[in-house]
């Protein structure tokens, strides 16, 4: 099995090839929650969710799922990173099994020509109740990023390196391209197949995105 877990209060230390040791401390248990969350959502009935999970279990790379509440509070409930080491990559997903993400169900992203990261956010009903994405979708969204590493590695790592080394505008544009691909290939098909209302855009009318960056930093014009 290539999906690993740390129990509450256990630590995982990764020696990053340039940043040095990075330590993750499990604030909550995730092993039982991981499987019960997927089972409760009937994730096996979604062909795309099943493919993401089977790929993560059968690939040669190892993924660590670390229970986190503190950091994920600023990351929409979950986050994934492929950390380079001297011997390859260590893959870490931090996840709060109880987290839900609220979003504006009426928001529509209208991109400019030939651009996924610049455009205008259209909100059809600012008084409409907000919708939620629950723990199963947050978990599978991050498995979608793992999928990007596994199936589009050169593309994915190139964007990550540009984020790390480039200008702020490059960081923002790369994030937009990564998330647009993940929604289109992974999150949206899962939502459709499980009968869950899908968000139309990674960005939200509240002025924030999952990483708490302001919409204006993504070229959004309200």
């Amino acid at each position: 099995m290539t999906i690993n877990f740390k129990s509450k209060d256990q630590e995982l230390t990764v020696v990053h090839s340039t940043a040095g040791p990075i330590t993750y401390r499990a604030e909550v248990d995730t092993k039982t929650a991981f499987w019960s969350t997927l089972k409760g959502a009937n994730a096996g009935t979604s062909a795309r969710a099943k493919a993401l999970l089977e790929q993560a279990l059968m690939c040669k790379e190892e993924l660590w799922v670390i229970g986190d509440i503190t950091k994920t509070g600023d990351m929409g409930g979950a986050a994934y990173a492929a950390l380079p080491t001297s011997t390859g990559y260590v893959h870490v997903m931090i996840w709060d099994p109880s987290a839900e993400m609220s979003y504006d169900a009426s928001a529509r992203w209208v991109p400019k020509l030939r651009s996924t990261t610049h455009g205008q956010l259209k909100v059809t009903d600012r008084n409409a109740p907000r919708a939620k994405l629950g723990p199963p979708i947050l978990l599978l969204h991050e498995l979608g990023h793992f999928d990007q590493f596994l199936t589009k590695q050169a593309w994915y790592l190139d964007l990550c390196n540009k984020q790390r080394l480039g200008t702020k505008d490059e960081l923002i544009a790369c994030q937009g391209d990564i998330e647009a691909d993940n929604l289109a290939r992974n999150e949206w098909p899962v939502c459709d197949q499980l009968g869950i209302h899908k968000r139309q855009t990674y960005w939200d009318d509240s002025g924030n995105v999952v990483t708490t960056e302001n919409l204006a930093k993504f070229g959004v014009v309200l």
Side-chain angles (χ1 to χ4, degrees):
M1 182 181 295
T2 53
I3 300 180
N4 305 303
F5 305 87
K6 289 289 186 181
S7 299
K8 182 179 179 181
D9 295 329
Q10 288 185 334
E11 294 182 344
L12 171 69
T13 297
V14 180
V15 182
H16 193 285
S17 58
T18 57
I22 301 174
T23 298
Y24 298 87
R25 184 179 183 85
E27 297 177 338
V28 294
D29 293 328
T30 54
K31 186 174 182 177
T32 299
F34 184 93
W35 298 112
S36 63
T37 294
L38 293 175
K39 182 178 180 180
N42 293 316
T45 63
S46 161
R48 189 57 189 151
K50 186 176 179 181
L52 290 172
L53 181 59
E54 289 180 346
Q55 177 178 245
L57 287 169
M58 298 173 65
C59 71
K60 294 181 180 179
E61 302 286 335
E62 288 195 334
L63 173 67
W64 288 91
V65 181
I66 308 296
D68 183 280
I69 298 173
T70 305
K71 294 184 182 67
T72 57
D74 291 331
M75 302 294 286
Y80 160 82
L83 306 174
T85 71
S86 61
T87 58
Y89 286 86
V90 175
H91 303 271
V92 178
M93 178 198 301
I94 56 173
W95 176 52
D96 178 357
S98 65
E100 294 182 330
M101 190 179 69
S102 172
Y103 70 96
D104 190 327
S106 71
R108 300 291 182 271
W109 177 249
V110 182
K112 290 183 179 179
L113 187 63
R114 295 184 298 277
S115 175
T116 58
T117 56
H118 290 77
Q120 187 172 13
L121 192 70
K122 297 289 187 181
V123 180
T124 59
D125 184 0
R126 292 183 181 274
N127 296 316
R130 294 180 66 82
K132 290 184 179 180
L133 291 177
I137 300 303
L138 299 184
L139 189 160
L140 289 161
H141 177 94
E142 301 310 324
L143 285 183
H145 285 307
F146 189 35
D147 166 78
Q148 289 177 317
F149 175 92
L150 294 172
T151 64
K152 305 176 68 173
Q153 184 171 326
W155 171 85
Y156 179 73
L157 293 180
D158 179 61
L159 290 175
C160 290
N161 286 332
K162 287 179 179 177
Q163 284 184 301
R164 182 170 59 89
L165 301 172
T167 64
K168 183 175 71 173
D169 286 343
E170 286 177 314
L171 184 151
I172 292 164
C174 291
Q175 182 71 18
D177 288 343
I178 288 171
E179 295 299 344
D181 175 79
N182 196 20
L183 263 63
R185 292 195 308 109
N186 299 312
E187 183 179 311
W188 286 344
V190 168
C191 286
D192 286 340
Q193 291 160 9
L194 293 180
I196 296 173
H197 192 288
K198 63 186 179 185
R199 51 180 169 169
Q200 298 299 310
T201 172
Y202 183 73
W203 299 288
D204 188 46
D205 182 45
S206 66
N208 297 306
V209 295
V210 171
T211 55
T212 69
E213 293 289 344
N214 189 280
L215 278 168
K217 295 181 181 180
F218 287 84
V220 177
V221 179
L222 294 176

